[in-house]
Amino acid sequence: MIRAYLRRAWRVGRAYYFATIIIMLVVMAFTIAFMVYGASSATPESVHGVNLPPNLAVIFTKYMLTLFVSTLIAMFVSVLSSIIVLGTIQADMQNGVFEILFGNGVSDGELIRALFIVGFSAFAVFFVIAEVLVMAMFIVTHVSLPYVLIIDIILVPLSTGLFTTGLSVFVGLTKPKYFRISTGIGSTQNLAFTVVALPSLVILMITIIASLSIIGVSSIINPIMALQSLGNALIIASMVMLTPTPLFITMTHVDRVGLVSKGVV
Amino acid sequence: MELMVKDLVVGYRDGVVIDGFNAVFSEGRTVVLGPNGSGKTTLLRAIAGVLKPLRGSITLDGKPLGKGDVGYVSHASGLDPNMSVRENLEFYAEVKGVEDFRDVVDKLGIDDLLNIKVGKLSNGQRRLVEIAVAMLGKPRIYLLDEPTDGLDVFFARRVREIVKSLGGIVIYTSHVPSEVFEVADSILVLKSGRMVFYGDIAEVGGAVKVVARRERETLIIETNIDEVPRTIEDLRHRGYEVLEVRSTAIEDLLGEDHD
């Protein structure tokens, strides 16, 4: 069952979201390239608007863009995996696949396992693509980074992506009504995608706001130290996000009525 | 072989639909009749294991139903429109642990559909594929939820012929009383989630009116309920198309709210 479902989910995902996935991969590649190029090409002459000594401003810009890259990758990888997971669930609801699977003896446990494997396989693929891309860019452009930022580039997307994937399966199977929530004015809203995209968006926004805030108070604190602390904080946040991820597997229960009702509330 | 449904209570978020249902199904075809909203689909969903009962038990020869015991055709297609018939069958064959689906394809004569995307099939062709999915693994119980609903005369007849060829316990829901006479060995009438009749067709009793047409000629025959299958066969043999089979006794069982 699991192997069949995995193969089918990728087929379904490919059929329904191929264009979206390709566009997002292209945007991700372009964003990574742009940010890493910006970090590598920063010079005392090209850095403006940062109220710091030129050499410090260059280092600050490199570190800040690196943190942005790590959180942007986290967001892209998370959203891409959730598209596969939630898209598969939504398509299977619409096509009545769950009803036929349950009617042919597939258990809740089998379905939960199958969808977690679908989700984690999707995450693994997108994570590897993103990491290979970003590492290649850093190597090509000879950007040297402190140890903490290299960990950020790997750990932040890893933990955010795993968390989001687990959350996607949890929301999709336990709360299928989130796919179509009535807005009260005659239309419906897909809350499921919003819910699962939120953690990675919050991390990205916090990183951007914190980095820009550091510039504002750079006269009273060491901005480089502050950025490295932000990097450390992101590592801690990543560890915190990783902790509940396995719990999604045990917390997920299958709302059979919701899944066979085409998500209409 | 005996499928026993005991004290079954099934419901959704907004309340109980089937309340205290008891029945024993033996080998043969049972048509479950009932008006819309009577609980036919919910009953089948519960027996199939799609919905977990709030109370009660469903056993086959004294044991809970296992994987592969049931072949289920529902209103929900279960087929992915972006995949070919072959890919859909491969998927369900793997889910059911069946190595080859060739014999089912041959039996239903759908070989020519294998490479067509499900989204391009007609309703009738799609229903044949759905039945093929249900037949994979030779289940001992078939649950068919209004399988002729929305089909033209040709495919509806073909589906009924297939149903008649199925072995084991077949439970077939319909809201069209005339289908009973073409498919059923026994009849079960549901009203508001409760069983109001379950027995052989002959037990229903009463006269039956068969309306048939050949070109511009319309024929109305009144006959006994146990003579209906033979009458239909005879009319078809003579080139008539059977338009309607009306049993006042069955309509009385279904009640006034039945359309």
Side-chain angles (χ1 to χ4, degrees):
Chain A
M1 150 71 190
I2 291 172
R3 211 176 55 182
Y5 197 83
L6 179 66
R7 203 165 39 235
R8 194 179 158 284
W10 276 97
R11 269 185 191 152
V12 172
R14 204 177 59 203
Y16 285 88
Y17 300 104
F18 181 75
T20 311
I21 288 168
I22 292 298
I23 290 167
M24 284 200 69
L25 282 172
V26 170
V27 172
M28 181 176 79
F30 178 77
T31 310
I32 291 171
F34 181 75
M35 292 279 182
V36 176
Y37 176 75
S40 69
S41 61
T43 60
E45 295 76 32
S46 65
V47 177
H48 302 286
V50 183
N51 190 22
L52 293 171
N55 286 336
L56 218 53
V58 169
I59 296 170
F60 183 87
T61 305
K62 281 182 183 175
Y63 288 8
M64 186 178 70
L65 288 175
T66 305
L67 284 176
F68 288 176
V69 166
S70 69
T71 49
L72 274 167
I73 294 173
M75 187 200 69
F76 278 115
V77 167
S78 301
V79 170
L80 281 164
S81 324
S82 66
I83 283 175
I84 291 282
V85 173
L86 294 178
T88 301
I89 295 174
Q90 207 173 359
D92 284 352
M93 282 170 71
Q94 292 297 329
N95 295 323
V97 173
F98 290 124
E99 177 148 7
I100 301 302
L101 287 176
F102 295 142
N104 283 295
V106 170
S107 68
D108 291 0
E110 279 180 293
L111 186 65
I112 291 170
R113 276 196 299 277
L115 267 157
F116 270 105
I117 289 171
V118 166
F120 290 135
S121 72
F123 163 74
V125 169
F126 297 129
F127 175 75
V128 168
I129 290 173
E131 289 296 324
V132 166
L133 199 65
V134 74
M135 291 304 171
M137 281 297 292
F138 275 121
I139 290 167
V140 169
T141 54
H142 304 292
V143 177
S144 57
L145 294 169
Y147 190 57
V148 62
L149 293 186
I150 293 170
I151 295 175
D152 272 315
I153 287 172
I154 297 167
L155 200 56
V156 175
L158 181 73
S159 61
T160 314
L162 285 172
F163 180 85
T164 306
T165 306
L167 185 64
S168 302
V169 180
F170 174 76
V171 168
L173 291 182
T174 308
K175 303 281 180 193
K177 63 181 178 184
Y178 282 10
F179 285 111
R180 283 185 77 182
I181 288 283
S182 171
T183 58
I185 52 168
S187 61
T188 56
Q189 185 71 43
N190 189 334
L191 194 62
F193 278 100
T194 313
V195 167
V196 302
L198 213 55
S200 60
L201 280 172
V202 167
I203 287 178
L204 175 64
M205 294 315 293
I206 288 174
T207 305
I208 292 171
I209 292 166
S211 301
L212 297 178
S213 303
I214 290 169
I215 298 172
V217 293
S218 59
S219 55
I220 51 171
I221 60 166
N222 180 335
I224 305 299
M225 290 285 284
L227 269 186
Q228 291 202 20
S229 300
L230 179 60
N232 283 321
L234 283 171
I235 290 171
I236 293 166
S238 299
M239 302 303 285
V240 172
M241 282 181 92
L242 270 180
T243 314
T245 301
L247 289 178
F248 284 126
I249 298 170
T250 53
M251 279 163 54
T252 299
H253 72 267
V254 177
D255 176 5
R256 289 190 168 211
V257 174
L259 289 172
V260 301
S261 306
K262 301 199 172 185
V264 181
V265 180
Chain B
M1 191 163 49
E2 212 172 63
L3 175 70
M4 183 182 280
V5 183
K6 204 172 172 185
D7 296 328
L8 189 71
V9 179
V10 198
Y12 298 94
R13 292 189 186 102
D14 49 356
V16 168
V17 176
I18 298 285
D19 193 5
F21 181 91
N22 287 285
V24 177
F25 299 93
S26 305
E27 277 189 57
R29 297 177 298 276
T30 302
V31 169
V32 181
L33 278 181
N36 288 332
S38 57
K40 302 185 297 290
T41 297
T42 306
L43 176 66
L44 252 57
R45 279 177 166 176
I47 297 173
V50 174
L51 296 178
K52 289 179 178 166
L54 300 169
R55 210 178 62 218
S57 65
I58 300 161
T59 53
L60 180 64
D61 294 335
K63 293 176 190 161
L65 294 178
K67 200 172 184 178
D69 281 336
V70 173
Y72 178 51
V73 176
S74 81
H75 285 294
S77 155
L79 304 174
D80 195 293
N82 287 300
M83 284 160 56
S84 68
V85 170
R86 184 192 302 279
E87 288 170 329
N88 274 286
L89 285 173
E90 275 171 359
F91 169 64
Y92 282 110
E94 202 171 334
V95 167
K96 288 177 141 189
V98 177
E99 285 190 3
D100 193 13
F101 54 79
R102 273 312 316 181
D103 52 340
V104 173
V105 168
D106 292 341
K107 192 170 181 187
L108 296 185
I110 54 171
D111 198 70
D112 52 333
L113 304 180
L114 283 177
N115 296 320
I116 301 174
K117 280 195 175 183
V118 166
K120 293 189 174 173
L121 298 179
S122 70
N123 282 348
Q125 290 171 322
R126 193 178 307 149
R127 193 60 46 82
L128 293 182
V129 180
E130 289 162 16
I131 293 172
V133 168
M135 288 170 72
L136 289 169
K138 297 191 180 84
R140 293 193 286 170
I141 302 167
Y142 285 96
L143 304 171
L144 311 162
D145 194 6
E146 300 190 352
T148 56
D149 198 31
L151 302 189
D152 61 28
V153 179
F154 170 76
F155 275 109
R157 192 178 300 162
R158 191 158 169 203
V159 165
R160 284 194 290 266
E161 291 302 322
I162 293 166
V163 170
K164 281 195 265 187
S165 74
L166 297 173
I169 298 169
V170 180
I171 305 175
Y172 177 114
T173 69
S174 177
H175 62 268
V176 184
S178 61
E179 287 210 299
V180 168
F181 302 104
E182 299 200 54
V183 175
D185 296 316
S186 53
I187 170 173
L188 189 156
V189 180
L190 267 184
K191 263 181 84 177
S192 305
R194 288 180 179 275
M195 188 169 73
V196 294
F197 179 84
Y198 181 33
D200 288 346
I201 297 176
E203 285 177 41
V204 178
V208 176
K209 207 178 272 180
V210 181
V211 183
R213 187 177 59 190
R214 186 173 61 184
E215 294 170 0
R216 287 174 177 273
E217 179 196 0
T218 303
L219 197 64
I220 300 173
I221 297 173
E222 205 156 299
T223 181
N224 286 331
I225 202 156
D226 47 351
E227 289 292 324
V228 175
R230 200 180 308 158
T231 308
I232 292 175
E233 202 179 306
D234 180 51
L235 285 168
R236 289 213 174 113
H237 187 68
R238 288 159 54 197
Y240 282 91
E241 183 190 346
V242 176
L243 298 176
E244 200 177 7
V245 185
R246 296 194 73 156
S247 156
T248 319
I250 290 178
E251 282 170 13
D252 286 346
L253 284 171
L254 288 167
E256 289 171 2
D257 54 344
H258 182 69
D259 44 6

